[in-house]
Amino acid sequence: MGRTADAPGYTARVPNTEPFLVPGDDATLESILAAAWSLLERAAAREPEDWRWPVLASVDPGEPERGAADARVVVLRRADARAWTLEIHSDARAGKLAQLRAAPQACLVFHDRARELQLRAWVDASVHEGDAIARRAWDALHASSRRAYLAPRTPGEPTAAPDANQPAGFGARLPDAAESEPGFAAFAAIVLRVRTLEWLRLDRAGHHRARFEPDPAGGTPAMCWLRP
């Protein structure tokens, strides 16, 4: 992907999106933090952004042979710059929920190949099932997403043959609102409160790296440059 010089940053040419100005060589910490949250909010709003599909890394104490580490790609559903929170969704029967309940500290890794950006977010996770937060998230889901939560069997269960785990009768069509409502019992919204953000921009002339932490009192975030 090409990029064009444009002080104080450069504009990455990303297919099917409006050009987004990424802070460049003379960026300030404040402009980088604003750009990070702006990209997160764009990704959560269903823009075709790479950051819509981060990797969530968690601790799995039940699998010592994996070194107590586990990771998977998730979909970013919500980003709130004011509250420093992110949101993802999961089947309530999935193994990662037990992991996050046992060890809520996790890390999200976002990578933007076109813009040559990496963002890491260290978070504290809270799982919501059947409450107002889960209901708000569920009501906003498209039918194609709701259908996944009608899966008749537990995700990750061993099977003797390939099994799409699709609900009977909905392989070729989407459920309507009433038909999909039973899936709410298997739905979980996971709110991720960000403790630290770390930004890395790759550049042949020299990489840029910075760290940001929210102020618990709601004031100015702590921020500093890091050597890449």
Side-chain angles (χ1 to χ4, degrees), residues 138-139 141-151 165-184:
W138 175 259
D139 288 346
L141 284 183
H142 187 268
S144 60
S145 296
R146 285 188 174 210
R147 179 172 60 181
Y149 298 97
L150 295 171
N165 204 12
Q166 290 278 0
F170 298 118
R173 72 175 182 89
L174 296 177
D176 61 27
E179 290 171 329
S180 65
E181 187 58 27
F184 183 60

Side-chain angles (χ1 to χ4, degrees), residues 42-185:
R42 282 167 64 106
R46 301 183 65 86
E47 296 277 358
E49 295 283 346
D50 287 351
W51 283 10
R52 186 162 175 81
W53 298 278
V55 172
L56 172 68
S58 57
V59 175
D60 187 358
E63 294 289 344
E65 66 272 17
R66 287 207 296 249
D70 202 1
R72 78 290 289 159
V73 175
V74 294
V75 179
L76 181 66
R77 297 291 187 176
R78 187 179 178 92
D80 187 334
R82 291 181 178 272
W84 280 67
T85 58
L86 306 169
E87 183 177 304
I88 61 175
H89 299 159
S90 174
D91 191 301
R93 299 163 291 181
K96 62 178 169 289
L97 266 68
Q99 295 175 11
L100 293 172
R101 287 191 174 103
Q105 295 75 30
C107 183
L108 281 168
V109 181
F110 301 84
H111 178 246
D112 187 323
R113 182 176 180 182
R115 298 185 178 99
E116 299 178 297
L117 297 175
Q118 174 185 277
L119 185 73
R120 289 189 290 172
W122 285 269
V123 300
D124 292 323
S126 58
V127 177
H128 297 269
E129 295 180 59
D131 61 10
I133 290 176
R135 172 52 67 180
R136 182 262 304 154
W138 175 259
D139 288 346
L141 284 183
H142 187 268
S144 60
S145 296
R146 285 188 174 210
R147 179 172 60 181
Y149 298 97
L150 295 171
R153 289 167 289 277
T154 301
E157 280 185 343
T159 177
D163 179 4
N165 204 12
Q166 290 278 0
F170 298 118
R173 72 175 182 89
L174 296 177
D176 61 27
E179 290 171 329
S180 65
E181 187 58 27
F184 183 60

